[in-house]
Amino acid sequence: MKKFMLSALAALMVALPAAAQYYPDGRPIPPRHRAAYYAAPYNNTYYGFRLGLGVATVNSDSPVLDANKAKTGLNAGFVVGTQLTRQAPLFFETGIYYTEKGGKSNYQGNKFTYGLNYVELPLLLKYKYYADRDFSIEPFAGGYLSCGVGGKIKDFGNRKAYGSFSDDYDENFKRFDGGLKVGCGLGFQMLYLEASYDIGLANVGNDEFDDTHTGCFNLTFGVNF
């Protein structure tokens, strides 16, 4: 599934520039106006706020940390994007998010939940294809870096809870994470809707012999200025 998503996104981003040969900022420029456009001072930057829902999992070789059920959480943040070239509506977007990840599992008859709360830095390349003056399709791909700032592991069977990133326990999580982010956004004037998937590449478990990775599907709403 992950390979299919990456292949489809790559094909879309290759195909769109060819279809938008004369769309330097995502909209068609009449031939008589192109010379003036390229001679004008260049600044095409946007800012935005984001708020959404994440459906997260933890996949691990460790039976204690492996989450066989998803956990929902909040994501909220601020983004800034800037156009990289006049010749195509290709943007670099970054920002800062607060995002809640984790998972749920049953181990030896006991119910566990893993709360992993991060401050996250996205690093994305985004292509804006304008279907008309007000509506845009915005596929993107890139990566993210995260630092754990909170969350608890809850052992319901033994009625215990402890910090997800605490150094006092072996069966918990490393604080730093990173991986790939792929998705697509839809813009309508100032409004913005986005679906994306985070593919964790870092081993976030403390046991070097058992790989532990995060994953999260995000549905996000926002506004751009």
Side-chain angles (χ1 to χ4, degrees), residues 131-191:
D132 61 30
R133 182 175 180 82
D134 296 318
F135 181 74
S136 62
I137 302 171
E138 306 179 13
F140 59 86
Y144 69 90
L145 299 172
S146 299
C147 177
V149 294
K152 289 187 177 295
I153 299 175
K154 295 182 180 179
D155 179 352
F156 287 84
N158 295 310
R159 305 297 295 174
K160 293 181 179 179
Y162 51 93
S164 297
F165 306 108
S166 171
D167 295 328
D168 297 332
Y169 300 91
D170 294 329
E171 299 296 347
N172 59 4
F173 298 89
K174 294 178 181 176
R175 191 172 294 275
F176 294 98
D177 191 15
L180 301 177
K181 181 186 288 286
V182 295
C184 188
L186 299 175
F188 180 74
Q189 297 181 0
M190 292 178 60
L191 302 180

Short mmCIF file of all heavy atoms in Angstrom, two decimals, residues 131-191:
data_model
loop_
_atom_site.label_atom_id
_atom_site.label_comp_id
_atom_site.label_asym_id
_atom_site.label_seq_id
_atom_site.Cartn_x
_atom_site.Cartn_y
_atom_site.Cartn_z
N ALA A 131 -7.29 24.02 -10.95
CA ALA A 131 -8.32 23.55 -11.88
C ALA A 131 -9.12 24.72 -12.44
O ALA A 131 -9.59 24.68 -13.57
CB ALA A 131 -9.25 22.55 -11.19
N ASP A 132 -9.31 25.75 -11.63
CA ASP A 132 -9.86 27.02 -12.09
C ASP A 132 -9.30 28.12 -11.19
O ASP A 132 -8.35 27.88 -10.44
CB ASP A 132 -11.40 27.01 -12.11
CG ASP A 132 -12.01 26.76 -10.73
OD1 ASP A 132 -11.40 27.16 -9.72
OD2 ASP A 132 -13.11 26.17 -10.67
N ARG A 133 -9.86 29.30 -11.26
CA ARG A 133 -9.28 30.43 -10.54
C ARG A 133 -9.29 30.24 -9.03
O ARG A 133 -8.37 30.69 -8.33
CB ARG A 133 -10.06 31.71 -10.89
CG ARG A 133 -9.51 32.96 -10.22
CD ARG A 133 -10.24 34.21 -10.69
NE ARG A 133 -9.71 35.38 -10.03
CZ ARG A 133 -8.62 36.04 -10.39
NH1 ARG A 133 -7.93 35.61 -11.43
NH2 ARG A 133 -8.22 37.10 -9.72
N ASP A 134 -10.28 29.57 -8.49
CA ASP A 134 -10.44 29.47 -7.04
C ASP A 134 -10.13 28.10 -6.45
O ASP A 134 -9.99 27.97 -5.24
CB ASP A 134 -11.88 29.84 -6.65
CG ASP A 134 -12.22 31.28 -6.97
OD1 ASP A 134 -11.37 32.15 -6.73
OD2 ASP A 134 -13.32 31.53 -7.49
N PHE A 135 -10.04 27.07 -7.28
CA PHE A 135 -9.91 25.70 -6.78
C PHE A 135 -8.57 25.11 -7.20
O PHE A 135 -8.21 25.13 -8.38
CB PHE A 135 -11.05 24.84 -7.32
CG PHE A 135 -11.02 23.42 -6.85
CD1 PHE A 135 -11.37 23.09 -5.56
CD2 PHE A 135 -10.61 22.40 -7.71
CE1 PHE A 135 -11.33 21.78 -5.12
CE2 PHE A 135 -10.57 21.09 -7.28
CZ PHE A 135 -10.93 20.77 -5.98
N SER A 136 -7.83 24.57 -6.24
CA SER A 136 -6.51 24.00 -6.51
C SER A 136 -6.40 22.58 -5.97
O SER A 136 -7.00 22.23 -4.95
CB SER A 136 -5.40 24.86 -5.89
OG SER A 136 -5.54 24.91 -4.48
N ILE A 137 -5.62 21.76 -6.66
CA ILE A 137 -5.27 20.41 -6.23
C ILE A 137 -3.78 20.44 -5.91
O ILE A 137 -2.97 20.86 -6.74
CB ILE A 137 -5.56 19.37 -7.33
CG1 ILE A 137 -7.05 19.44 -7.70
CG2 ILE A 137 -5.19 17.96 -6.87
CD1 ILE A 137 -7.40 18.60 -8.92
N GLU A 138 -3.40 19.98 -4.70
CA GLU A 138 -2.05 20.22 -4.20
C GLU A 138 -1.40 18.94 -3.66
O GLU A 138 -1.35 18.71 -2.45
CB GLU A 138 -2.08 21.30 -3.11
CG GLU A 138 -2.76 22.59 -3.57
CD GLU A 138 -2.84 23.65 -2.50
OE1 GLU A 138 -2.14 23.49 -1.46
OE2 GLU A 138 -3.59 24.63 -2.67
N PRO A 139 -0.88 18.07 -4.54
CA PRO A 139 -0.15 16.89 -4.06
C PRO A 139 1.18 17.30 -3.46
O PRO A 139 1.79 18.30 -3.87
CB PRO A 139 0.04 16.05 -5.33
CG PRO A 139 0.01 17.05 -6.43
CD PRO A 139 -0.94 18.12 -6.01
N PHE A 140 1.65 16.52 -2.49
CA PHE A 140 2.92 16.86 -1.85
C PHE A 140 3.60 15.60 -1.34
O PHE A 140 2.98 14.55 -1.13
CB PHE A 140 2.71 17.86 -0.71
CG PHE A 140 1.79 17.38 0.38
CD1 PHE A 140 2.26 16.60 1.43
CD2 PHE A 140 0.45 17.68 0.35
CE1 PHE A 140 1.41 16.16 2.44
CE2 PHE A 140 -0.42 17.25 1.34
CZ PHE A 140 0.07 16.47 2.39
N ALA A 141 4.91 15.74 -1.12
CA ALA A 141 5.71 14.65 -0.55
C ALA A 141 6.91 15.27 0.14
O ALA A 141 7.37 16.35 -0.21
CB ALA A 141 6.15 13.68 -1.64
N GLY A 142 7.40 14.57 1.13
CA GLY A 142 8.57 15.06 1.86
C GLY A 142 8.80 14.25 3.12
O GLY A 142 8.56 13.04 3.14
N GLY A 143 9.23 14.92 4.15
CA GLY A 143 9.53 14.22 5.39
C GLY A 143 9.10 15.03 6.60
O GLY A 143 8.54 16.12 6.48
N TYR A 144 9.36 14.47 7.77
CA TYR A 144 9.06 15.18 9.02
C TYR A 144 10.06 14.74 10.08
O TYR A 144 10.64 13.64 10.03
CB TYR A 144 7.63 14.88 9.50
CG TYR A 144 7.41 13.46 9.96
CD1 TYR A 144 7.60 13.09 11.30
CD2 TYR A 144 7.01 12.47 9.07
CE1 TYR A 144 7.41 11.79 11.72
CE2 TYR A 144 6.82 11.17 9.48
CZ TYR A 144 7.01 10.83 10.81
OH TYR A 144 6.83 9.53 11.22
N LEU A 145 10.29 15.62 11.05
CA LEU A 145 11.10 15.35 12.23
C LEU A 145 10.26 15.66 13.45
O LEU A 145 9.55 16.67 13.48
CB LEU A 145 12.37 16.21 12.23
CG LEU A 145 13.33 16.00 11.06
CD1 LEU A 145 14.43 17.06 11.09
CD2 LEU A 145 13.94 14.62 11.09
N SER A 146 10.32 14.79 14.46
CA SER A 146 9.47 14.95 15.65
C SER A 146 10.27 14.81 16.92
O SER A 146 11.25 14.05 16.99
CB SER A 146 8.36 13.88 15.65
OG SER A 146 7.53 14.01 14.52
N CYS A 147 9.81 15.52 17.94
CA CYS A 147 10.36 15.39 19.29
C CYS A 147 9.22 15.14 20.27
O CYS A 147 8.27 15.91 20.32
CB CYS A 147 11.12 16.66 19.68
SG CYS A 147 11.78 16.63 21.37
N GLY A 148 9.30 14.03 21.01
CA GLY A 148 8.25 13.69 21.97
C GLY A 148 8.22 14.65 23.14
O GLY A 148 9.25 14.96 23.74
N VAL A 149 7.03 15.14 23.45
CA VAL A 149 6.88 16.11 24.54
C VAL A 149 5.92 15.62 25.63
O VAL A 149 5.73 16.31 26.64
CB VAL A 149 6.39 17.47 24.01
CG1 VAL A 149 7.44 18.11 23.12
CG2 VAL A 149 5.07 17.33 23.25
N GLY A 150 5.31 14.46 25.45
CA GLY A 150 4.38 13.97 26.46
C GLY A 150 3.68 12.71 26.02
O GLY A 150 3.93 12.17 24.94
N GLY A 151 2.80 12.23 26.86
CA GLY A 151 2.06 11.01 26.59
C GLY A 151 2.33 9.95 27.64
O GLY A 151 3.38 9.96 28.31
N LYS A 152 1.39 9.01 27.77
CA LYS A 152 1.51 7.94 28.77
C LYS A 152 1.25 6.58 28.16
O LYS A 152 0.47 6.44 27.21
CB LYS A 152 0.53 8.17 29.92
CG LYS A 152 0.90 9.34 30.82
CD LYS A 152 0.00 9.41 32.03
CE LYS A 152 0.43 10.54 32.96
NZ LYS A 152 1.77 10.29 33.54
N ILE A 153 1.93 5.59 28.71
CA ILE A 153 1.61 4.18 28.46
C ILE A 153 0.74 3.72 29.62
O ILE A 153 1.14 3.81 30.78
CB ILE A 153 2.89 3.33 28.38
CG1 ILE A 153 3.77 3.80 27.22
CG2 ILE A 153 2.53 1.86 28.21
CD1 ILE A 153 5.11 3.09 27.14
N LYS A 154 -0.46 3.23 29.28
CA LYS A 154 -1.39 2.78 30.32
C LYS A 154 -1.56 1.27 30.25
O LYS A 154 -1.93 0.73 29.21
CB LYS A 154 -2.75 3.47 30.15
CG LYS A 154 -2.71 4.97 30.34
CD LYS A 154 -4.08 5.60 30.20
CE LYS A 154 -4.04 7.10 30.39
NZ LYS A 154 -5.39 7.71 30.23
N ASP A 155 -1.26 0.61 31.36
CA ASP A 155 -1.44 -0.83 31.52
C ASP A 155 -2.71 -1.03 32.35
O ASP A 155 -2.69 -0.91 33.58
CB ASP A 155 -0.22 -1.42 32.22
CG ASP A 155 -0.33 -2.92 32.45
OD1 ASP A 155 -1.41 -3.50 32.20
OD2 ASP A 155 0.67 -3.51 32.88
N PHE A 156 -3.82 -1.34 31.66
CA PHE A 156 -5.11 -1.42 32.35
C PHE A 156 -5.20 -2.67 33.21
O PHE A 156 -5.90 -2.68 34.24
CB PHE A 156 -6.25 -1.40 31.33
CG PHE A 156 -6.47 -0.05 30.71
CD1 PHE A 156 -5.72 0.36 29.62
CD2 PHE A 156 -7.42 0.82 31.22
CE1 PHE A 156 -5.91 1.61 29.04
CE2 PHE A 156 -7.63 2.07 30.66
CZ PHE A 156 -6.87 2.46 29.57
N GLY A 157 -4.50 -3.75 32.83
CA GLY A 157 -4.56 -4.98 33.60
C GLY A 157 -3.95 -4.82 34.98
O GLY A 157 -4.48 -5.32 35.97
N ASN A 158 -2.82 -4.09 35.07
CA ASN A 158 -2.14 -3.88 36.34
C ASN A 158 -2.42 -2.51 36.95
O ASN A 158 -1.83 -2.15 37.97
CB ASN A 158 -0.63 -4.05 36.16
CG ASN A 158 -0.25 -5.47 35.79
OD1 ASN A 158 -0.68 -6.43 36.44
ND2 ASN A 158 0.55 -5.61 34.73
N ARG A 159 -3.31 -1.74 36.29
CA ARG A 159 -3.70 -0.41 36.79
C ARG A 159 -2.47 0.47 37.00
O ARG A 159 -2.29 1.11 38.04
CB ARG A 159 -4.48 -0.54 38.10
CG ARG A 159 -5.71 -1.43 38.03
CD ARG A 159 -6.74 -0.89 37.07
NE ARG A 159 -7.28 0.39 37.51
CZ ARG A 159 -8.12 1.13 36.80
NH1 ARG A 159 -8.49 0.74 35.59
NH2 ARG A 159 -8.58 2.27 37.29
N LYS A 160 -1.59 0.51 35.97
CA LYS A 160 -0.38 1.32 36.04
C LYS A 160 -0.32 2.24 34.82
O LYS A 160 -0.83 1.91 33.76
CB LYS A 160 0.88 0.44 36.06
CG LYS A 160 1.04 -0.40 37.31
CD LYS A 160 2.33 -1.19 37.24
CE LYS A 160 2.55 -2.04 38.49
NZ LYS A 160 3.81 -2.83 38.41
N ALA A 161 0.32 3.38 35.03
CA ALA A 161 0.56 4.31 33.93
C ALA A 161 1.91 4.98 34.15
O ALA A 161 2.28 5.31 35.28
CB ALA A 161 -0.54 5.37 33.86
N TYR A 162 2.66 5.14 33.08
CA TYR A 162 3.96 5.80 33.18
C TYR A 162 4.25 6.52 31.87
O TYR A 162 3.62 6.28 30.83
CB TYR A 162 5.07 4.81 33.53
CG TYR A 162 5.14 3.57 32.66
CD1 TYR A 162 5.97 3.53 31.54
CD2 TYR A 162 4.41 2.43 33.00
CE1 TYR A 162 6.03 2.40 30.76
CE2 TYR A 162 4.49 1.29 32.22
CZ TYR A 162 5.31 1.29 31.10
OH TYR A 162 5.38 0.16 30.33
N GLY A 163 5.22 7.44 31.91
CA GLY A 163 5.53 8.28 30.77
C GLY A 163 6.00 7.49 29.57
O GLY A 163 6.84 6.59 29.70
N SER A 164 5.51 7.84 28.41
CA SER A 164 5.89 7.13 27.18
C SER A 164 7.37 7.28 26.87
O SER A 164 7.97 6.40 26.25
CB SER A 164 5.07 7.66 26.01
OG SER A 164 3.70 7.42 26.18
N PHE A 165 7.97 8.42 27.28
CA PHE A 165 9.38 8.67 26.96
C PHE A 165 10.24 8.66 28.22
O PHE A 165 11.35 9.20 28.22
CB PHE A 165 9.51 10.02 26.25
CG PHE A 165 8.63 10.14 25.03
CD1 PHE A 165 7.51 10.96 25.04
CD2 PHE A 165 8.91 9.43 23.88
CE1 PHE A 165 6.71 11.08 23.93
CE2 PHE A 165 8.10 9.53 22.76
CZ PHE A 165 6.99 10.35 22.79
N SER A 166 9.75 8.05 29.29
CA SER A 166 10.49 8.00 30.56
C SER A 166 11.70 7.07 30.44
O SER A 166 11.66 6.05 29.77
CB SER A 166 9.57 7.52 31.68
OG SER A 166 10.30 7.28 32.85
N ASP A 167 12.78 7.44 31.12
CA ASP A 167 13.98 6.60 31.15
C ASP A 167 13.92 5.54 32.23
O ASP A 167 14.86 4.74 32.37
CB ASP A 167 15.22 7.48 31.38
CG ASP A 167 15.47 8.44 30.23
OD1 ASP A 167 15.15 8.07 29.08
OD2 ASP A 167 16.00 9.54 30.48
N ASP A 168 12.84 5.49 32.98
CA ASP A 168 12.74 4.57 34.12
C ASP A 168 12.27 3.17 33.72
O ASP A 168 12.28 2.26 34.53
CB ASP A 168 11.79 5.13 35.17
CG ASP A 168 12.30 6.45 35.76
OD1 ASP A 168 13.54 6.64 35.76
OD2 ASP A 168 11.47 7.27 36.17
N TYR A 169 11.86 3.00 32.48
CA TYR A 169 11.32 1.72 32.03
C TYR A 169 11.96 1.31 30.71
O TYR A 169 12.32 2.15 29.88
CB TYR A 169 9.80 1.81 31.86
CG TYR A 169 9.07 2.18 33.12
CD1 TYR A 169 8.82 3.53 33.42
CD2 TYR A 169 8.63 1.22 34.02
CE1 TYR A 169 8.17 3.88 34.58
CE2 TYR A 169 7.97 1.57 35.18
CZ TYR A 169 7.75 2.90 35.46
OH TYR A 169 7.10 3.26 36.61
N ASP A 170 12.12 0.00 30.51
CA ASP A 170 12.69 -0.50 29.26
C ASP A 170 11.66 -0.53 28.15
O ASP A 170 11.99 -0.29 26.99
CB ASP A 170 13.26 -1.91 29.47
CG ASP A 170 14.46 -1.92 30.41
OD1 ASP A 170 15.19 -0.90 30.42
OD2 ASP A 170 14.65 -2.92 31.12
N GLU A 171 10.42 -0.88 28.48
CA GLU A 171 9.38 -1.01 27.46
C GLU A 171 8.67 0.32 27.24
O GLU A 171 7.52 0.52 27.62
CB GLU A 171 8.38 -2.11 27.87
CG GLU A 171 8.98 -3.48 28.01
CD GLU A 171 9.52 -4.04 26.70
OE1 GLU A 171 9.21 -3.49 25.63
OE2 GLU A 171 10.26 -5.04 26.74
N ASN A 172 9.40 1.25 26.66
CA ASN A 172 8.80 2.53 26.31
C ASN A 172 9.43 3.04 25.02
O ASN A 172 9.99 2.26 24.25
CB ASN A 172 8.92 3.53 27.47
CG ASN A 172 10.35 3.79 27.87
OD1 ASN A 172 11.28 3.29 27.23
ND2 ASN A 172 10.56 4.56 28.91
N PHE A 173 9.39 4.35 24.77
CA PHE A 173 9.73 4.86 23.46
C PHE A 173 10.83 5.91 23.53
O PHE A 173 10.95 6.66 24.50
CB PHE A 173 8.49 5.50 22.82
CG PHE A 173 7.37 4.53 22.59
CD1 PHE A 173 6.42 4.30 23.58
CD2 PHE A 173 7.26 3.85 21.39
CE1 PHE A 173 5.38 3.41 23.38
CE2 PHE A 173 6.23 2.95 21.18
CZ PHE A 173 5.29 2.72 22.18
N LYS A 174 11.63 5.97 22.45
CA LYS A 174 12.59 7.04 22.30
C LYS A 174 11.86 8.34 21.98
O LYS A 174 10.79 8.35 21.38
CB LYS A 174 13.57 6.71 21.18
CG LYS A 174 14.47 5.52 21.47
CD LYS A 174 15.37 5.23 20.27
CE LYS A 174 16.25 4.03 20.54
NZ LYS A 174 17.07 3.67 19.34
N ARG A 175 12.49 9.43 22.34
CA ARG A 175 11.82 10.73 22.21
C ARG A 175 11.78 11.23 20.77
O ARG A 175 10.83 11.93 20.37
CB ARG A 175 12.53 11.75 23.11
CG ARG A 175 11.77 13.04 23.27
CD ARG A 175 12.43 13.92 24.33
NE ARG A 175 12.34 13.32 25.65
CZ ARG A 175 11.30 13.44 26.47
NH1 ARG A 175 10.24 14.13 26.09
NH2 ARG A 175 11.33 12.87 27.66
N PHE A 176 12.77 10.88 19.95
CA PHE A 176 12.87 11.46 18.61
C PHE A 176 12.38 10.48 17.55
O PHE A 176 12.64 9.27 17.61
CB PHE A 176 14.31 11.89 18.33
CG PHE A 176 14.76 13.03 19.20
CD1 PHE A 176 15.51 12.78 20.34
CD2 PHE A 176 14.40 14.34 18.91
CE1 PHE A 176 15.90 13.82 21.16
CE2 PHE A 176 14.79 15.38 19.72
CZ PHE A 176 15.54 15.12 20.85
N ASP A 177 11.67 11.03 16.56
CA ASP A 177 11.10 10.24 15.45
C ASP A 177 11.29 11.03 14.16
O ASP A 177 11.50 12.24 14.16
CB ASP A 177 9.61 9.97 15.72
CG ASP A 177 9.02 8.95 14.75
OD1 ASP A 177 9.80 8.24 14.07
OD2 ASP A 177 7.79 8.86 14.67
N GLY A 178 11.18 10.34 13.06
CA GLY A 178 11.27 10.97 11.75
C GLY A 178 10.85 10.00 10.67
O GLY A 178 10.85 8.78 10.87
N GLY A 179 10.44 10.53 9.53
CA GLY A 179 9.99 9.66 8.46
C GLY A 179 9.53 10.42 7.25
O GLY A 179 9.90 11.58 7.03
N LEU A 180 8.70 9.77 6.45
CA LEU A 180 8.16 10.34 5.22
C LEU A 180 6.73 10.79 5.44
O LEU A 180 6.00 10.21 6.23
CB LEU A 180 8.20 9.31 4.09
CG LEU A 180 9.56 8.73 3.73
CD1 LEU A 180 9.41 7.68 2.64
CD2 LEU A 180 10.52 9.82 3.28
N LYS A 181 6.33 11.82 4.68
CA LYS A 181 4.95 12.30 4.69
C LYS A 181 4.52 12.47 3.24
O LYS A 181 5.19 13.15 2.45
CB LYS A 181 4.82 13.61 5.45
CG LYS A 181 3.39 14.15 5.51
CD LYS A 181 3.34 15.53 6.15
CE LYS A 181 3.59 15.46 7.64
NZ LYS A 181 2.41 14.92 8.38
N VAL A 182 3.40 11.85 2.86
CA VAL A 182 2.85 11.98 1.51
C VAL A 182 1.36 12.30 1.64
O VAL A 182 0.71 11.91 2.61
CB VAL A 182 3.05 10.70 0.67
CG1 VAL A 182 4.52 10.45 0.41
CG2 VAL A 182 2.41 9.49 1.36
N GLY A 183 0.82 13.00 0.65
CA GLY A 183 -0.60 13.31 0.71
C GLY A 183 -1.02 14.25 -0.39
O GLY A 183 -0.28 14.53 -1.34
N CYS A 184 -2.21 14.78 -0.24
CA CYS A 184 -2.76 15.71 -1.23
C CYS A 184 -3.72 16.66 -0.52
O CYS A 184 -4.49 16.25 0.36
CB CYS A 184 -3.49 14.95 -2.33
SG CYS A 184 -4.00 16.00 -3.72
N GLY A 185 -3.67 17.93 -0.92
CA GLY A 185 -4.56 18.92 -0.38
C GLY A 185 -5.48 19.49 -1.45
O GLY A 185 -5.20 19.39 -2.65
N LEU A 186 -6.58 20.06 -1.00
CA LEU A 186 -7.53 20.75 -1.87
C LEU A 186 -7.74 22.15 -1.33
O LEU A 186 -8.04 22.33 -0.14
CB LEU A 186 -8.88 20.01 -1.91
CG LEU A 186 -8.86 18.58 -2.43
CD1 LEU A 186 -10.25 17.95 -2.29
CD2 LEU A 186 -8.41 18.51 -3.88
N GLY A 187 -7.56 23.15 -2.20
CA GLY A 187 -7.75 24.52 -1.79
C GLY A 187 -8.93 25.16 -2.50
O GLY A 187 -9.12 24.94 -3.70
N PHE A 188 -9.71 25.94 -1.76
CA PHE A 188 -10.79 26.72 -2.35
C PHE A 188 -10.72 28.11 -1.73
O PHE A 188 -11.05 28.29 -0.56
CB PHE A 188 -12.15 26.08 -2.09
CG PHE A 188 -13.30 26.87 -2.67
CD1 PHE A 188 -13.53 26.86 -4.04
CD2 PHE A 188 -14.10 27.66 -1.86
CE1 PHE A 188 -14.58 27.60 -4.59
CE2 PHE A 188 -15.15 28.40 -2.40
CZ PHE A 188 -15.38 28.37 -3.77
N GLN A 189 -10.21 29.05 -2.53
CA GLN A 189 -9.94 30.40 -2.04
C GLN A 189 -9.04 30.31 -0.80
O GLN A 189 -7.95 29.79 -0.89
CB GLN A 189 -11.25 31.13 -1.80
CG GLN A 189 -12.07 31.33 -3.06
CD GLN A 189 -13.37 32.07 -2.84
OE1 GLN A 189 -13.71 32.47 -1.72
NE2 GLN A 189 -14.13 32.26 -3.90
N MET A 190 -9.49 30.77 0.37
CA MET A 190 -8.65 30.71 1.57
C MET A 190 -8.75 29.38 2.30
O MET A 190 -7.92 29.07 3.16
CB MET A 190 -9.02 31.84 2.54
CG MET A 190 -8.70 33.23 2.04
SD MET A 190 -9.23 34.52 3.20
CE MET A 190 -8.27 34.09 4.65
N LEU A 191 -9.76 28.57 2.01
CA LEU A 191 -10.00 27.32 2.73
C LEU A 191 -9.13 26.21 2.19
O LEU A 191 -8.80 26.16 1.00
CB LEU A 191 -11.48 26.93 2.63
CG LEU A 191 -12.48 27.95 3.16
CD1 LEU A 191 -13.90 27.44 2.98
CD2 LEU A 191 -12.19 28.30 4.62
#
